[in-house]
Amino acid sequence: MSGARFLIATGTDRESGSGSPWYGWRLLSANNRELGRGATFFPRREDCEAAVLHLRANLDRAVPVVHVVRPDSLWRWRLEIDGTEAARSGRAYHRLRECRYSLAHFHTGVSLADAAPNALPEQRASVRRSGSGRAPGDLSRAVAR
């Protein structure tokens, strides 16, 4: 899987009224499809970049978890390192095999993607969509900067 790359997403939290910045990361394929994303927000870009480097350095120790998110059988995956969620799927899947396939592609993409902090491009989004410390619900509307 050549061409996978990490992308830093950034924006401001307008829902709380504070306007404080947040940073999160996504892994994109060569055709710009999201392969997965970070599990949390970070207040500084440097912390977000450190999370990407931590994932890459500890990928061999990451524990994959595949789980049902709704009674009508929508599946998601996540990766945990030392019991802490480090990455998650960007969407839910209707079939378990699709979810597992997506997880395998993410794993391959992480190992092949360039993760040099200065090489991580940034994408701006305007609102944190879900609660504190959670990855944005929909970054597909974000405008490239």
Side-chain angles (χ1 to χ4, degrees), residues 45-124:
R45 180 182 168 102
E46 295 79 16
D47 298 333
C48 187
E49 291 170 349
V52 169
L53 296 175
H54 177 73
L55 174 64
R56 286 183 51 100
N58 295 285
L59 189 59
D60 59 331
R61 296 186 317 112
V63 177
V65 178
V66 175
H67 57 98
V68 175
V69 292
R70 288 194 6 204
D72 58 351
S73 297
L74 288 177
W75 298 88
R76 284 190 179 269
W77 60 260
R78 68 179 183 267
L79 286 180
E80 296 179 354
I81 299 173
D82 299 327
T84 302
E85 185 178 1
R88 65 172 59 166
S89 58
R91 68 178 188 91
Y93 299 88
H94 288 283
R95 293 179 177 82
L96 175 59
R97 66 179 165 78
E98 292 172 342
C99 187
R100 288 181 175 157
Y101 181 79
S102 169
L103 175 58
H105 271 279
F106 176 81
H107 196 279
T108 302
V110 168
S111 62
L112 296 178
D114 181 16
N118 293 334
L120 297 177
E122 201 170 280
Q123 181 180 45
R124 180 157 306 281

Side-chain angles (χ1 to χ4, degrees), residues 30-53:
N31 64 354
N32 291 325
R33 292 188 186 222
E34 183 176 334
L35 300 174
R37 61 178 61 189
T40 60
F41 287 114
F42 301 92
R44 299 176 330 136
R45 180 182 168 102
E46 295 79 16
D47 298 333
C48 187
E49 291 170 349
V52 169
L53 296 175

Side-chain angles (χ1 to χ4, degrees), residues 124-143:
R124 180 157 306 281
S126 61
V127 163
R128 179 183 292 177
R129 297 192 169 271
S130 23
S132 177
R134 307 290 290 182
D138 180 11
L139 293 179
S140 61
R141 294 187 185 134
V143 178

